[in-house]
Amino acid sequence: MADLPIAAVVRIAKKNGAERVGSDAAEALVIKAEKYIAQLTKEANKLAEHAGRKTIKKEDVDLASKSN
């Protein structure tokens, strides 16, 4: 079961030009988005730990997104 709400992902897709989003496409977008967020979080966490912190900061996320 997905953690991200499908309706939110569909809303984002529509705000970015999609006129309609099929249910299979919405599900695929949710899966891909969750995988991306998971990978980004893992990388940002590594950066926070390297800096001696337990808390992920915006700078960690920014750096992690540049490496992906």
Side-chain angles (χ1 to χ4, degrees):
M1 176 138 181
D3 290 324
L4 288 176
I6 291 176
V9 174
V10 169
R11 201 167 34 254
I12 292 167
K14 287 184 176 182
K15 282 183 181 179
N16 286 282
E19 190 171 322
R20 295 172 66 188
V21 180
S23 61
D24 58 336
E27 188 176 323
L29 284 168
V30 166
I31 291 168
K32 294 284 186 184
E34 287 183 351
K35 285 182 181 179
Y36 175 74
I37 292 168
Q39 185 58 41
L40 187 61
T41 302
K42 287 176 188 175
E43 187 60 34
N45 192 52
K46 286 180 191 176
L47 293 165
E49 286 178 350
H50 181 73
R53 293 182 273 105
K54 291 183 179 180
T55 303
I56 296 173
K57 293 187 173 186
K58 180 185 180 300
E59 61 207 43
D60 301 319
V61 176
D62 290 342
L63 283 171
S65 70
K66 289 178 183 175
S67 69
N68 283 337

